[in-house]
Amino acid sequence: MRYVSTRGAAPALAFDDVLLAGLARDGGLYVPEAWPVLTADDLRSLAGCDYAETATRVLAPFVDGAIAEDDLAAIVADAYRDFAHAAVVPLKQLGPNQWLMELFHGPTLAFKDLALQVVGRLFDHVLARRSRRVTIVGATSGDTGSAAMEACRDRAAIDVFILFPEGERVSEVQRRQMTTIDAPNVHAIAVRGTFDDCQDLVKAMFNDIPFRDRHGLSAVNSINWARIAAQVAYYVWAAVALGAPGRGISFAVPTGNFGNVLAAHAARHMGLPIVDLAIGTNRNDILARFLETGSLSIGTVEPSLSPSMDIQVSSNFERLLFELHDRDGTALARAMADFRRDGTLTLSPEQWRRARAGFAGHRLDDAGTLAEIRRVWETTGEIIDPHSAIAVSTARACHADRSVPMVALASAHPAKFPDAVERATGIRPRLPERLADLLERPERMTVLPNDLAVIEAFVADHSERVAA
Ligand SMILES: *Cc1c(COP(=O)(O)O)cnc(C)c1O
């Protein structure tokens, strides 16, 4: 399996090189040259497999020999061993043919652990084999940061720098999950700016090729294809649990950077019988507006109760645009340059039709989010977080065919967002035992301006140079 850049001007790479590269050298994102195929027999053979086995089988064709199968199986098994639930991603029933898939039983209580616990170990494995080290830089609006830091902490060949917007947008629990990790190779940087500023700074560091080579820059944010590949597994897992290949399945995905829902899209390309794929957004609804109008247009980021979805430019959306441009990297590179310049990108009627055929969209504001948390609690007894509430609301709005199971993705544990949950239900959710003293642990972070030169200097001072 080779991977090609969405902008068509970077060399095709194998899985392990894509893992380490993150963003392609032409500014594009890597995608598989062709989709692996999951046949009906493959799906039938996954019935009864445990989660790690399922994930290994789903990942294997993406890795395609770049890592030995036994090693891959051991890495994946190790990644999910410490999840707090035996099913790893348990499914709970909320109503008639309505389900909730809990993706928050990993160490940082958000769905990002599902991919990053695997990706951190994959890095370790590949770097050890090559006697190399890397500097991981990433931007987070909340959950990626702690998940990346937990996945890479104390790993000898990795330095990690996570940029997050300073101030209110990251919840206290989210911030503390980043700033209380006591590991010398892990750095939390609060940037005076928005999440999109943080994301732009990371992209700019990658586009500074001498800097990138000097420090062996690498990414574990959702532009890294290995993360998308690891996420495909839980869509397959849920589908098999609920009757695939004999029965179709629909998903509602709380969406920010489009990484989670892109994994569902990949699963569908591979042959998983996904009927509807619904994108849930908060008031930062660029994706919902895109589906309504065929035009992407950037607004300003507005803070909401679901901060991990407070995003205007969804970086992974480029991977869908690549397909809508019939995998013509040159055409997409032009479109992306126009988008950067004008702040809007309008698709052709045919491209828009294809986008709508693939996805439904739904938006929920903060009042609706609180009402949904309350409704779920009153009708099922389940306490859910604001991001998951958007998924459940989206699932209800987009559940067109009631004979098809609809699975809403619960992307964070309610105790990550206790204020919103308490406002909605009067109940303050408690952190699980292993994080119970989080609010008392000492914090460690550096506040820096939204200035590329300052950020690069900090990274240079706190990481080891690598030979190019
Ligand atoms: C990251 C995150 C999202 C958004 O996922 P994307 O892959 O960026 O679309 C939603 N909910 C939570 C809790 C998250 O951490």
Side-chain angles (χ1 to χ4, degrees), residues 110-112 143-144 222 231 254-261 308-309 311 385 387 411-412 417:
F111 90 93
K112 297 188 170 71
D143 298 321
T144 307
S222 61
Q231 289 168 184
T255 296
N257 245 333
F258 210 76
N260 198 354
V261 72
S308 300
M309 297 160 63
I311 290 167
D385 99 290
H387 306 79
S411 53
F417 304 95

